[in-house]
Amino acid sequence: MQYIKIILVLGFAFFSSISYSQVQETLKYTSSNKGKFFVSWGGNRDSYSKSDIRFKGDGYDFTIKDATAKDKPKGWHVDYINPTRMTIPQTNFKLGYFISDHYTVALGVDHMKYVMHRNRNRTIDGYIDLPTDESGSVYNGVYNNESVFISSDMLKFEHTNGLNYVYGEFARFDDISSIFGIQNTDVFQINITEGLGAGVLYPKTNTTLLEKERYDEFHVSGYGLSANIGLNLLVLKHFFIQLDAKGGYINMNDIRTTSNTSEHAEQSFYFFQRVISFGGIFKL
């Protein structure tokens, strides 16, 4: 009788393990995301709202009102994947982790580029009173919301290496494959993502102001807030293409403009990015 009990117990354990293995085999890798990491790299195009840019320093304090700007795209280029030149184009990097099946936390860097339009008339309010032995003194005067031609000699103002938004993000991730009749999500899966982010701006601002010596150094200049929505196309469980629309607000109240630490610029504006990125998702 004792032998029969032992055989029954062993048999039950054997068939239970087989059943469990079969369940594991049918369970798709994409059916659960908790504990997975993901990393992505891509490029962006950017649009910016108008902004008032205030320049303050020894002998001047003036504001250019409703300044406009553009990005500086490189197009489809090998520099995006060239390790020695991949920081030159407008790029996006993100590293994240699934804290649950639907929620992620991530760290990212959006390398945007901001070029203020020049060689056109703009409204200026404030004053410039430089010493007469400085070449920039040709712009001396009191400006009371006057229209002034902003030449390249008077001002060059660019965040071109770049307008670096370093942020943390909290996002939601949802599989919508069933809407399109996709059954095997381990082969192809369609997901939608929505996220909120916040971080700091660490631009390398290229500035030539009032014919002073050019300045171009990295500096923590302010903060940013962002929100995005994206479409994630996952192929063979581990590789994805993601399309994102991302908008936000940037406030920089300490932009270095010259080698003199007492001189700086201030501006705030809204931005909108269109992003395409490529990445992978995996478990360690």
Side-chain angles (χ1 to χ4, degrees), residues 242-256:
Q242 185 154 326
L243 307 173
D244 283 298
K246 184 173 186 176
Y249 171 75
I250 285 173
N251 186 310
M252 295 189 291
N253 59 8
D254 188 21
I255 304 167
R256 291 290 304 278

Side-chain angles (χ1 to χ4, degrees), residues 39-43 80-81 86-87 91-94 276-279:
V39 62
S40 65
W41 177 260
Y80 281 98
I81 56 175
M86 61 197 315
T87 60
T91 55
N92 299 73
F93 170 79
K94 186 184 293 186
I276 179 170
S277 54
F278 302 86

Side-chain angles (χ1 to χ4, degrees), residues 13 36 48 78 82 87 94 97-98 108 140 150 156 167 180 185 203 223 271 282:
K36 293 178 182 176
Y48 305 105
V78 70
N82 182 341
T87 60
K94 186 184 293 186
Y97 176 73
F98 280 89
N140 282 357
I150 307 298
K156 177 182 179 180
Y167 64 93
F180 303 94
T185 53
Y223 69 90
F271 71 92
F282 53 90

Side-chain angles (χ1 to χ4, degrees), residues 10-257:
L10 292 174
F12 178 78
F14 176 74
F15 287 109
S16 295
S17 66
I18 291 177
S19 299
Y20 179 76
S21 297
Q22 291 174 338
V23 170
Q24 289 292 93
E25 288 176 1
T26 59
L27 189 63
K28 292 182 175 62
Y29 180 83
T30 50
S31 64
S32 175
N33 287 319
K34 185 177 180 180
K36 293 178 182 176
F37 289 86
F38 63 91
V39 62
S40 65
W41 177 260
N44 63 70
R45 286 299 311 269
D46 314 310
S47 300
Y48 305 105
S49 68
K50 294 179 179 179
S51 68
D52 294 347
I53 309 176
R54 183 179 184 182
F55 296 89
K56 298 173 64 177
D58 296 336
Y60 63 91
D61 184 349
F62 65 93
T63 300
I64 297 177
K65 296 190 174 181
D66 291 333
T68 58
K70 61 181 180 179
D71 64 350
K72 193 176 182 180
K74 194 150 190 173
W76 294 95
H77 202 282
V78 70
D79 282 357
Y80 281 98
I81 56 175
N82 182 341
T84 63
R85 296 179 61 83
M86 61 197 315
T87 60
I88 295 176
Q90 299 177 175
T91 55
N92 299 73
F93 170 79
K94 186 184 293 186
L95 174 65
Y97 176 73
F98 280 89
I99 58 175
S100 72
D101 285 343
H102 293 289
Y103 290 98
T104 68
V105 291
L107 294 174
V109 180
D110 290 354
H111 180 76
M112 299 176 278
K113 293 182 185 290
Y114 178 103
V115 180
M116 190 197 81
H117 290 127
R118 52 188 183 270
N119 295 322
R120 60 189 64 188
N121 288 328
R122 291 293 184 221
T123 299
I124 293 185
D125 187 50
Y127 72 90
I128 300 172
D129 186 20
L130 298 178
T132 55
D133 60 349
E134 290 191 22
S135 57
S137 63
V138 297
Y139 307 108
N140 282 357
V142 176
Y143 301 91
N144 185 18
N145 291 313
E146 297 178 32
S147 180
V148 175
F149 184 74
I150 307 298
S151 67
S152 297
D153 291 332
M154 181 180 183
L155 176 63
K156 177 182 179 180
F157 185 72
E158 304 178 351
H159 310 297
T160 45
N161 198 22
L163 183 65
N164 300 309
Y165 175 41
V166 184
Y167 64 93
E169 182 183 80
F170 180 72
R172 183 175 172 89
F173 192 93
D174 289 286
D175 178 10
I176 59 172
S177 304
S178 60
I179 297 175
F180 303 94
I182 298 170
Q183 300 298 320
N184 190 350
T185 53
D186 277 3
V187 175
F188 184 64
Q189 185 182 44
I190 301 176
N191 304 283
I192 189 168
T193 68
E194 313 91 20
L196 296 173
V200 299
L201 272 298
Y202 188 54
K204 192 170 190 281
T205 304
N206 180 11
T207 308
T208 305
L209 173 64
L210 301 176
E211 301 188 19
K212 296 175 180 286
E213 186 178 350
R214 175 179 174 268
Y215 188 80
D216 185 18
E217 297 294 338
F218 287 106
H219 181 66
V220 176
S221 300
Y223 69 90
L225 304 171
S226 59
N228 68 280
I229 182 168
L231 188 66
N232 176 283
L233 308 176
L234 185 66
V235 180
L236 299 178
K237 301 185 292 188
H238 297 293
F239 310 102
F240 64 82
I241 301 172
Q242 185 154 326
L243 307 173
D244 283 298
K246 184 173 186 176
Y249 171 75
I250 285 173
N251 186 310
M252 295 189 291
N253 59 8
D254 188 21
I255 304 167
R256 291 290 304 278
T257 54

Side-chain angles (χ1 to χ4, degrees), residues 263-276:
E263 300 184 326
H264 71 281
E266 305 170 2
Q267 71 173 148
S268 62
F269 54 89
Y270 296 95
F271 71 92
F272 179 67
Q273 283 191 82
R274 289 81 72 197
V275 183
I276 179 170

